[in-house]
Amino acid sequence: KQINPNCVNTVQLTRNETKPVETNASVRVEGFAYFYLSTYDTDDPIQVGQITTYVVEGKNEGIYPCTNAYVTCHIPKEMKYELAQCSPGIKYTYNKKTATIVFDKIPILQPGEKAIYWVTCKGVKPGLAKFMTILVYDGFRAPAVDEELTTVTRNLQIIQPELQLTQEASAKLI
C-alpha cells in the first residue's frame, strides 16, 4: 500500500449568506519501515532433556522497505542449542562459547513481508530460561529486544494423591 507523500487538504467555510471562503493546506506525510518483532516458545514448561522451539516472527509493518535487518538470539544457560533456520533461507552462525546465534542480514523486506526464525533448544538445567532476541535494521537507532521465558523442570513424576475416606469421615459429609 503506497501513500502519496504530497497531500493537499481543502477547507471551505461559509457563514450565513456570505461568500464561501476557501483555503488549502499542504501536508507532507513521512513514512518509515517498522519491523514488528514477536517471540514465543512452542512448549512450556519442559523437563530436562525435552526440547522447545523458539519462533521469532518479524514483519515490516511500515510503509517503506526495511533494509539490512538481522537477528541475534541468546540461548539461556538452562538450554542447549540444537537447530536453527530462517524462512527466506538466510544463513546463520552459532557461537558455542557465547551461546548466540547471529542470522545473516536480510537485504530488503518490503512492507507487509515477514521473516520467521526457528531456534530449537533442549532443556539441560532446571530453572526459568530467558531466551532473548535482538533485532537491528537500517533506520532504527536502537536495537529492538524481545524475551521469552521457558520453565525447565527436573524429570519428576506427578503423583496423584489418592483420596480414601473412612466410614466415619464419609458419614460426616452426608
Side-chain angles (χ1 to χ4, degrees), residues 34-59:
Y34 173 68
F35 201 107
Y36 173 77
L37 180 66
S38 171
T39 306
Y40 63 91
D41 49 8
T42 57
D43 295 290
D44 186 11
I46 63 169
Q47 293 182 2
V48 170
Q50 292 181 326
I51 64 167
T52 190
T53 298
Y54 294 98
V55 181
V56 179
E57 294 181 349
K59 181 179 180 185

Side-chain angles (χ1 to χ4, degrees), residues 20-80:
V21 176
E22 192 173 287
T23 186
N24 294 319
S26 294
V27 177
R28 177 147 175 88
V29 177
E30 292 290 332
F32 54 90
Y34 173 68
F35 201 107
Y36 173 77
L37 180 66
S38 171
T39 306
Y40 63 91
D41 49 8
T42 57
D43 295 290
D44 186 11
I46 63 169
Q47 293 182 2
V48 170
Q50 292 181 326
I51 64 167
T52 190
T53 298
Y54 294 98
V55 181
V56 179
E57 294 181 349
K59 181 179 180 185
N60 182 357
E61 292 189 348
I63 61 170
Y64 288 111
C66 179
T67 55
N68 297 318
Y70 70 93
V71 166
T72 301
C73 298
H74 294 272
I75 310 295
K77 65 183 180 297
E78 296 84 3
M79 299 290 211
K80 177 185 167 203

Side-chain angles (χ1 to χ4, degrees), residues 70-106:
Y70 70 93
V71 166
T72 301
C73 298
H74 294 272
I75 310 295
K77 65 183 180 297
E78 296 84 3
M79 299 290 211
K80 177 185 167 203
Y81 162 78
E82 294 286 317
L83 174 70
Q85 60 185 22
C86 178
S87 60
I90 300 298
K91 295 179 183 179
Y92 66 91
T93 304
Y94 172 66
N95 184 322
K96 188 175 182 176
K97 186 175 182 177
T98 61
T100 56
I101 298 169
V102 179
F103 289 91
D104 289 351
K105 289 181 181 180
I106 297 175

Side-chain angles (χ1 to χ4, degrees), residues 158-162:
I158 298 174
I159 301 169
Q160 296 290 336
E162 293 186 23

Side-chain angles (χ1 to χ4, degrees), residues 5 15 40-41 53 58 75 96 113 121 125 133-134 136 153:
R15 184 176 165 196
Y40 63 91
D41 49 8
T53 298
I75 310 295
K96 188 175 182 176
E113 288 184 335
C121 296
K125 179 181 175 186
T133 304
I134 299 172
V136 177
T153 62

